[in-house]
Amino acid sequence: MVLAARRTDWRWVGLKALAHALALWPLAWLVKAVAEDGLGADPVAAITHFTGDWALRLLLLGLALTPLRRLLGQPWPLRFRRLVGLYAFFYACLHLATYLVLDLGGFWAQVFDDIVKRPYITVGFTAWLLLVPLALTSTRGWMRRLGRRWGQLHKAVYAAGVLAVLHFLWLVKSDLREPAIYAAVLVVLLGLRLWWRLRRPVPQGA
């Protein structure tokens, strides 16, 4: 029994190592592209869009793990939820840092004007702010400290997902196909949660 448990532990260690490698692959690709000057005529815009795309993709992947667990009837997808969520926050931080450091070029005071005057920056920055406490409280220790409130706090990820998709939709001015795909995926993921919630049996005497 002990040997079987150890084999199971090592299997999950290997799978999580693979998950880390896959999550870091976009960053490795980006570093290689920067080193080889392969980002085109506007490398700052390319980095901004690339990091934003991966932040949104990983955010949606994290939201997909709970429905996947229910559809498969297996608990294993939830083992990767924290990892995926933290990498989504990591790429969101890279996205924001690219805007602050490379796009604004050190004129950080301008960010407050942009937040007020540009709605897509307002909702994008708000989405990032919502992810900050989720990343900080993602450990088991915080789960124990917050108890029930931990689950209530982490429901903010739904609002962050909506705002992130809206940020992309407002940012794109011509071809809306890609943000529309992300929006459709988000609608499905949130719709499944709503459907399951509505189908939940009402306790007798309620």
Side-chain angles (χ1 to χ4, degrees):
M1 292 292 291
V2 174
L3 290 176
R6 286 179 179 175
R7 282 198 296 270
T8 302
D9 290 342
W10 279 112
R11 181 189 65 183
W12 286 111
V13 168
L15 288 173
K16 286 205 170 183
L18 177 61
H20 280 289
L22 290 173
L24 287 170
W25 174 84
L27 179 61
W29 184 93
L30 182 61
V31 170
K32 182 174 181 292
V34 170
E36 296 177 352
D37 196 20
L39 292 176
D42 192 347
V44 173
I47 295 171
T48 303
H49 294 320
F50 185 84
T51 53
D53 284 346
W54 278 102
L56 182 53
R57 289 166 187 167
L58 289 169
L59 184 60
L60 292 177
L61 177 59
L63 287 173
L65 293 176
T66 296
L68 182 62
R69 188 262 301 173
R70 293 200 61 163
L71 291 171
L72 295 177
Q74 299 289 333
W76 64 262
L78 298 186
R79 287 176 176 254
F80 298 94
R81 187 168 56 184
R82 176 174 177 268
L83 182 150
V84 172
L86 287 175
Y87 273 111
F89 180 67
F90 169 69
Y91 282 103
C93 288
L94 289 181
H95 181 64
L96 178 61
T98 302
Y99 165 66
L100 292 176
V101 178
L102 299 181
D103 195 4
L104 294 184
F107 296 98
W108 291 359
Q110 185 182 334
V111 71
F112 299 106
D113 291 334
D114 286 347
I115 289 173
V116 173
K117 296 177 181 178
R118 300 183 180 182
Y120 75 91
I121 292 180
T122 306
V123 297
F125 187 67
T126 304
W128 180 80
L129 285 177
L130 288 174
L131 292 176
V132 171
L134 306 190
L136 293 177
T137 60
S138 63
T139 63
R140 292 184 182 276
W142 273 108
M143 289 179 69
R144 288 194 297 270
R145 291 188 196 100
L146 293 175
R148 253 189 201 177
R149 289 176 295 170
W150 187 90
Q152 296 170 348
L153 172 64
H154 279 250
K155 287 180 181 178
V157 71
Y158 305 146
V162 172
L163 291 175
V165 169
L166 186 58
H167 169 70
F168 196 6
L169 283 167
W170 268 341
L171 176 64
V172 176
K173 295 181 176 62
S174 54
D175 190 351
L176 295 175
R177 286 176 296 180
E178 187 178 1
I181 290 172
Y182 292 131
V185 171
L186 181 64
V187 167
V188 170
L189 294 176
L190 297 184
L192 283 172
R193 284 172 165 84
L194 179 60
W195 172 251
W196 285 324
R197 185 179 182 86
L198 293 175
R199 291 186 61 194
R200 187 180 301 168
V202 179
Q204 290 184 357

Short mmCIF file of all heavy atoms in Angstrom, two decimals, residues 30 34 37-50 98 102-103:
data_model
loop_
_atom_site.label_atom_id
_atom_site.label_comp_id
_atom_site.label_asym_id
_atom_site.label_seq_id
_atom_site.Cartn_x
_atom_site.Cartn_y
_atom_site.Cartn_z
N LEU A 30 8.57 33.49 -26.25
CA LEU A 30 8.64 34.94 -26.31
C LEU A 30 10.09 35.42 -26.14
O LEU A 30 10.55 36.31 -26.87
CB LEU A 30 7.75 35.56 -25.23
CG LEU A 30 7.68 37.08 -25.19
CD1 LEU A 30 7.13 37.64 -26.50
CD2 LEU A 30 6.83 37.54 -24.01
N VAL A 34 12.20 37.53 -28.88
CA VAL A 34 12.83 38.83 -28.58
C VAL A 34 14.32 38.77 -28.92
O VAL A 34 14.88 39.70 -29.53
CB VAL A 34 12.62 39.20 -27.10
CG1 VAL A 34 13.48 40.41 -26.73
CG2 VAL A 34 11.16 39.49 -26.83
N ASP A 37 14.89 38.96 -32.58
CA ASP A 37 14.25 40.10 -33.22
C ASP A 37 13.15 39.63 -34.18
O ASP A 37 13.06 40.09 -35.32
CB ASP A 37 15.29 40.94 -33.97
CG ASP A 37 14.77 42.32 -34.33
OD1 ASP A 37 13.78 42.76 -33.69
OD2 ASP A 37 15.30 42.94 -35.26
N GLY A 38 12.33 38.72 -33.68
CA GLY A 38 11.31 38.12 -34.53
C GLY A 38 9.90 38.54 -34.20
O GLY A 38 8.95 37.77 -34.45
N LEU A 39 9.71 39.73 -33.64
CA LEU A 39 8.38 40.17 -33.22
C LEU A 39 7.78 41.22 -34.16
O LEU A 39 6.75 41.81 -33.84
CB LEU A 39 8.43 40.73 -31.80
CG LEU A 39 8.72 39.69 -30.70
CD1 LEU A 39 8.85 40.37 -29.35
CD2 LEU A 39 7.64 38.63 -30.66
N GLY A 40 8.42 41.44 -35.28
CA GLY A 40 7.85 42.35 -36.26
C GLY A 40 8.21 43.80 -36.04
O GLY A 40 9.11 44.14 -35.26
N ALA A 41 7.46 44.67 -36.72
CA ALA A 41 7.78 46.11 -36.71
C ALA A 41 7.47 46.78 -35.38
O ALA A 41 8.06 47.81 -35.05
CB ALA A 41 7.01 46.80 -37.83
N ASP A 42 6.53 46.24 -34.61
CA ASP A 42 6.15 46.83 -33.32
C ASP A 42 6.26 45.76 -32.23
O ASP A 42 5.26 45.17 -31.82
CB ASP A 42 4.72 47.37 -33.39
CG ASP A 42 4.37 48.24 -32.20
OD1 ASP A 42 5.13 48.23 -31.22
OD2 ASP A 42 3.32 48.92 -32.24
N PRO A 43 7.49 45.53 -31.75
CA PRO A 43 7.69 44.45 -30.77
C PRO A 43 6.96 44.68 -29.45
O PRO A 43 6.53 43.73 -28.81
CB PRO A 43 9.21 44.42 -30.56
CG PRO A 43 9.69 45.74 -31.03
CD PRO A 43 8.76 46.17 -32.12
N VAL A 44 6.82 45.94 -29.02
CA VAL A 44 6.13 46.22 -27.76
C VAL A 44 4.67 45.79 -27.85
O VAL A 44 4.13 45.14 -26.95
CB VAL A 44 6.23 47.71 -27.39
CG1 VAL A 44 5.36 48.01 -26.17
CG2 VAL A 44 7.68 48.09 -27.12
N ALA A 45 4.01 46.13 -28.96
CA ALA A 45 2.61 45.72 -29.15
C ALA A 45 2.51 44.20 -29.23
O ALA A 45 1.57 43.60 -28.68
CB ALA A 45 2.05 46.35 -30.42
N ALA A 46 3.49 43.56 -29.87
CA ALA A 46 3.48 42.10 -29.99
C ALA A 46 3.60 41.44 -28.61
O ALA A 46 2.88 40.48 -28.31
CB ALA A 46 4.61 41.64 -30.90
N ILE A 47 4.50 41.97 -27.78
CA ILE A 47 4.66 41.41 -26.43
C ILE A 47 3.40 41.64 -25.60
O ILE A 47 2.94 40.75 -24.87
CB ILE A 47 5.88 42.04 -25.73
CG1 ILE A 47 7.17 41.65 -26.45
CG2 ILE A 47 5.95 41.60 -24.27
CD1 ILE A 47 8.40 42.41 -25.96
N THR A 48 2.83 42.83 -25.72
CA THR A 48 1.61 43.15 -24.97
C THR A 48 0.48 42.20 -25.33
O THR A 48 -0.19 41.62 -24.45
CB THR A 48 1.18 44.60 -25.25
OG1 THR A 48 2.23 45.48 -24.92
CG2 THR A 48 -0.06 44.96 -24.44
N HIS A 49 0.26 42.01 -26.63
CA HIS A 49 -0.83 41.13 -27.06
C HIS A 49 -0.54 39.67 -26.70
O HIS A 49 -1.44 38.94 -26.28
CB HIS A 49 -1.05 41.26 -28.57
CG HIS A 49 -1.54 42.61 -28.98
ND1 HIS A 49 -2.49 43.31 -28.26
CD2 HIS A 49 -1.21 43.41 -30.04
CE1 HIS A 49 -2.73 44.47 -28.86
NE2 HIS A 49 -1.96 44.56 -29.92
N PHE A 50 0.71 39.25 -26.84
CA PHE A 50 1.08 37.85 -26.57
C PHE A 50 0.84 37.51 -25.10
O PHE A 50 0.22 36.48 -24.78
CB PHE A 50 2.54 37.63 -26.95
CG PHE A 50 3.00 36.21 -26.82
CD1 PHE A 50 2.80 35.30 -27.84
CD2 PHE A 50 3.66 35.77 -25.67
CE1 PHE A 50 3.22 33.98 -27.72
CE2 PHE A 50 4.09 34.47 -25.54
CZ PHE A 50 3.88 33.56 -26.58
N THR A 98 4.48 45.07 -19.20
CA THR A 98 4.84 45.50 -20.55
C THR A 98 4.23 46.85 -20.85
O THR A 98 4.88 47.74 -21.42
CB THR A 98 4.38 44.46 -21.59
OG1 THR A 98 4.96 43.19 -21.28
CG2 THR A 98 4.79 44.87 -22.99
N LEU A 102 7.33 49.27 -20.97
CA LEU A 102 7.72 49.42 -22.37
C LEU A 102 6.82 50.38 -23.14
O LEU A 102 7.29 51.18 -23.94
CB LEU A 102 7.72 48.04 -23.05
CG LEU A 102 8.68 47.01 -22.46
CD1 LEU A 102 8.61 45.70 -23.25
CD2 LEU A 102 10.11 47.54 -22.44
N ASP A 103 5.51 50.29 -22.89
CA ASP A 103 4.57 51.13 -23.64
C ASP A 103 4.60 52.58 -23.13
O ASP A 103 4.75 53.53 -23.92
CB ASP A 103 3.17 50.56 -23.54
CG ASP A 103 2.23 51.15 -24.58
OD1 ASP A 103 2.70 51.94 -25.42
OD2 ASP A 103 1.04 50.83 -24.57
#
